[in-house]
């Protein structure tokens, strides 16, 4: 999750989100937690890869802790 290439994809994700919302560190972490616990999101994301939901959430948390306040 902390790989620079992964973090660049997370940066793209958050830049898209910023069109609708200005996430704080805590808010983006909560979104990561939502992605990993919401049955609908989990089902959608896990259809790509069973481990992707957890990986995505961890990568989002790494980004939030490093880049957001």
């Amino acid at each position: 999750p902390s790989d620079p290439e992964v973090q660049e994809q997370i940066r793209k994700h958050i830049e898209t989100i910023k069109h609708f919302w200005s996430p704080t560190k805590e808010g983006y972490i909560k979104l990561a937690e939502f992605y990993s616990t919401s049955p609908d999101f989990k089902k959608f994301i896990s259809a790509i890869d069973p481990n992707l939901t957890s990986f995505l959430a961890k990568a989002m948390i790494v980004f939030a802790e490093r880049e957001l306040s």
Side-chain angles (χ1 to χ4, degrees):
S2 61
D3 182 272
E5 289 181 37
V6 172
Q7 288 300 296
E8 181 56 31
Q9 294 305 311
I10 298 299
R11 182 175 302 284
K12 290 177 183 179
H13 177 255
I14 201 165
E15 290 303 319
T16 300
I17 287 174
K18 285 182 179 179
H19 291 283
F20 310 100
W21 171 50
S22 296
T24 61
K25 175 180 173 179
E26 294 80 16
Y28 200 60
I29 289 171
K30 290 290 183 188
L31 181 61
E33 292 169 355
F34 175 74
Y35 283 173
S36 65
T37 59
S38 166
D40 291 332
F41 274 99
K42 211 170 174 179
K43 181 179 177 183
F44 177 76
I45 296 170
S46 293
I48 298 166
D49 182 288
N51 299 314
L52 184 56
T53 306
S54 174
F55 184 85
L56 175 61
K58 288 176 186 174
M60 289 172 68
I61 292 168
V62 167
F63 184 91
E65 290 176 344
R66 289 181 179 173
E67 304 290 334
L68 301 176
S69 54

